[in-house]
């Protein structure tokens, strides 16, 4: 079993839930912010794009008052990136769509003793990195099998330097209690709620991506905290005004679909004729694929998708954790790096690793989480999490 922290977040209002999170994880959130602050600056320094905002003295003053670096807000690189301004722009979009999410982030900042914009920036990290033109040398792979009982899971790949910056959680007090994994300071990511609605998460890339809309991690949080059915979850996702692309795969006991989200619109991708959903990091909907960015930059997403599609053809049974591990434990010698290992050398932004492997059983409202890639998972390495009742 993993030794990861399990945060048990409670509160009868969004602000109180946020304050509870902030108090419980104040030091961890501050540490995570320092890494992201450096990551934003590193990505901006390596980009020659021109769509980002210029730096501002406001971000410097806000960060200095909390003893936090503002390098990402005042980068002197060829690609200045005003993280504070970008984060607050996503806050405006979120307030117009679901103001309770902003209240919850405000509570996190208050509980952790951090400037509000830094918490907003953590929750909008996908959008800010998209705005900066961040390269992605690896990312997540997801498998779902529908049938008499839908099951699924994924690898979560991210920067090795953030391997200590995530935790397990249970959250109560909203319309639906839920359980899952997320990064310090970010309200939600992968999880399942008490209604048996689960979400799995793969980042995509579209040529129109920017930091102007509702952050995709907050969209996932809204599904987990409020959706009481498959239809409600899909409705929330397709109605979210996002500005950075992702695919959120919704799983319930008897159904599943991948909802592709992009600034250009949304699309619902159903399982294939055998009941499988295989997702990596490119669009499958033809209209959204016309704006594909990620696959053009890093075509290894297609290699992973082809490898997994071949592997599931030979798998007739249910997708339990043991089967999930066998299917996802693929490395470069196998034809694609589904299970990702960071190189010993390299700099921040270039060292990708599979930080967690997650299996979801929506009928049981349960997740199983392994700390690390599937090639290191075994019968005793999984931590179970069950969605709590609100």
């Amino acid at each position: 079993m993993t030794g990861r922290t399990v945060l048990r977040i409670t509160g009868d209002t969004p602000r109180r839930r946020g304050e509870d999170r902030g108090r419980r994880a104040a030091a961890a959130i501050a540490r995570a912010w320092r890494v992201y602050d450096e990551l934003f600056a590193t990505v901006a320094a390596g980009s020659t794009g021109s769509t980002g905002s210029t730096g501002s003295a406001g971000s410097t003053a806000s960060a200095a008052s909390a003893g936090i670096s503002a390098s990402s807000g005042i980068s002197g690189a060829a690609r200045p990136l005003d993280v504070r301004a970008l984060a607050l722009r996503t806050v405006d979009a979120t307030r117009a769509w679901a103001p309770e999410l902003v209240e919850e982030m405000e509570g996190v900042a208050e509980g952790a003793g951090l400037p509000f914009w830094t918490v907003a920036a953590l929750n909008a990290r996908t959008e800010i990195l998209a705005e900066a033109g961040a390269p992605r040398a690896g990312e997540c792979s997801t498998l779902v099998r529908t049938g008499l009982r839908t099951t699924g899971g994924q690898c979560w790949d991210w920067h090795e330097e953030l391997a200590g910056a995530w935790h397990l959680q249970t959250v109560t007090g909203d319309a639906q209690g839920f359980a899952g994994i997320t990064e310090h300071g970010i309200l939600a990511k992968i999880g399942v709620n008490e209604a048996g609605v689960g979400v799995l998460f793969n980042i995509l890339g579209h040529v129109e991506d920017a930091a102007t809309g509702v952050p995709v991690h907050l969209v996932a949080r809204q599904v987990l905290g409020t959706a009481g059915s498959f239809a409600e979850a899909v409705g929330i996702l397709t109605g979210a005004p996002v500005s950075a692309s992702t695919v959120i795969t919704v799983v319930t006991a008897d159904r599943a679909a991948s909802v592709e989200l992009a600034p250009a619109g949304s699309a619902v991708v159903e399982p294939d004729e055998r009941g499988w959903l295989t997702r990596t990091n490119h669009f499958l909907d033809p209209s959204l694929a016309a704006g594909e960015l990620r696959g053009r930059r890093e075509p290894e997403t297609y290699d992973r998708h082809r490898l997994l599609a071949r592997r599931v053809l030979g798998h007739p049974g249910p997708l339990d954790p043991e089967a999930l591990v066998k299917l996802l434990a693929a490395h470069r010698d196998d034809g694609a790096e589904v299970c990702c290992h960071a190189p010993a050398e390299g700099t921040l932004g270039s060292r990708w690793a599979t930080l967690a492997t997650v299996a979801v059983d929506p009928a049981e409202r349960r997740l199983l989480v392994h700390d690390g890639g599937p090639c290191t998972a075994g019968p005793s390495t999984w931590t179970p999490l069950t969605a709590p009742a609100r």
Side-chain angles (χ1 to χ4, degrees):
M1 295 178 66
T2 178
R4 289 280 163 179
T5 298
V6 182
L7 290 186
R8 304 194 185 279
I9 307 301
T10 62
D12 58 0
T13 68
R15 182 174 290 275
R16 287 175 178 169
R17 287 191 293 275
E19 290 172 351
D20 190 34
R21 180 185 299 276
R23 284 193 301 268
R24 292 174 182 269
I29 295 170
R31 287 194 301 271
W33 166 250
R34 287 192 288 271
V35 179
Y36 269 109
D37 183 49
E38 183 181 354
L39 179 62
F40 294 148
T42 299
V43 170
S47 172
T48 58
S50 59
T51 59
S53 305
T54 57
S56 74
S59 60
T60 308
S62 297
S65 67
I68 298 172
S69 167
S71 60
S72 56
I74 57 171
S75 170
R79 176 70 156 78
L81 195 69
D82 187 341
V83 171
R84 181 178 184 273
L86 294 174
L88 294 178
R89 196 162 65 181
T90 70
V91 169
D92 290 340
T94 304
R95 185 176 283 112
W97 183 66
E100 64 273 17
L101 297 175
V102 177
E103 294 174 22
E104 191 164 350
M105 288 192 294
E106 289 172 340
V108 174
E110 184 173 338
L114 294 171
F116 168 67
W117 71 268
T118 64
V119 174
L122 287 171
N123 282 271
R125 55 86 155 164
T126 299
E127 287 67 25
I128 293 168
L129 290 170
E131 180 94 16
R136 295 185 178 120
E139 263 289 359
C140 311
S141 302
T142 293
L143 293 174
V144 173
R145 181 70 183 273
T146 60
L148 295 178
R149 181 167 174 157
T150 301
T151 51
Q154 70 170 97
C155 294
W156 172 45
D157 298 352
W158 199 227
H159 301 281
E160 172 69 18
E161 291 82 357
L162 288 159
W166 62 276
H167 61 270
L168 313 179
Q169 67 174 358
T170 62
V171 180
T172 57
D174 207 341
Q176 303 288 340
F178 65 91
I181 72 170
T182 193
E183 298 173 68
H184 298 320
I186 297 179
L187 301 188
K189 186 188 293 290
I190 301 160
V192 65
N193 71 17
E194 64 177 297
V197 176
V199 295
L200 300 168
F201 212 98
N202 297 62
I203 297 300
L204 305 178
H206 192 276
V207 293
E208 297 178 18
D209 283 351
T212 58
V214 177
V216 292
H217 282 86
L218 296 182
V219 176
R221 164 65 180 84
Q222 191 73 347
V223 171
L224 288 169
T226 67
S229 68
F230 177 86
E232 287 183 13
V234 172
I236 291 168
L237 292 169
T238 56
V242 303
S243 63
S245 303
T246 196
V247 53
I248 294 181
T249 299
V250 179
V251 290
T252 61
D254 59 351
R255 294 192 66 181
S258 289
V259 182
E260 296 182 347
L261 304 175
S266 63
V268 178
V269 178
E270 301 286 347
D272 66 18
E273 65 278 1
R274 296 179 64 242
W276 284 97
L277 277 167
T278 303
R279 300 307 312 237
T280 51
N281 302 105
H282 59 275
F283 291 100
L284 297 182
D285 175 76
S287 62
L288 294 179
E292 176 68 51
L293 179 63
R294 167 63 198 268
R296 295 174 185 173
R297 287 181 171 177
E298 292 97 24
E300 52 77 35
T301 177
Y302 302 112
D303 297 333
R304 283 184 285 124
H305 192 267
R306 284 190 290 265
L307 182 146
L308 292 173
R310 289 195 301 268
R311 285 190 168 192
V312 300
L313 281 175
H315 182 77
L319 195 59
D320 56 25
E322 182 180 358
L324 182 72
V325 161
K326 288 180 179 178
L327 293 170
L328 293 177
H331 301 95
R332 290 181 182 176
D333 290 346
D334 300 304
E337 194 173 21
V338 177
C339 182
C340 187
H341 297 264
E345 304 296 329
T347 59
L348 178 63
S350 68
R351 302 182 67 247
W352 292 75
T354 300
L355 303 188
T357 309
V358 183
V360 59
D361 184 345
E364 297 292 330
R365 308 184 314 282
R366 185 176 71 160
L367 290 177
L368 292 173
V369 181
H370 166 69
D371 193 337
C375 69
T376 61
S380 64
T381 68
W382 298 90
T383 296
L385 280 177
T386 300
R390 58 183 178 276

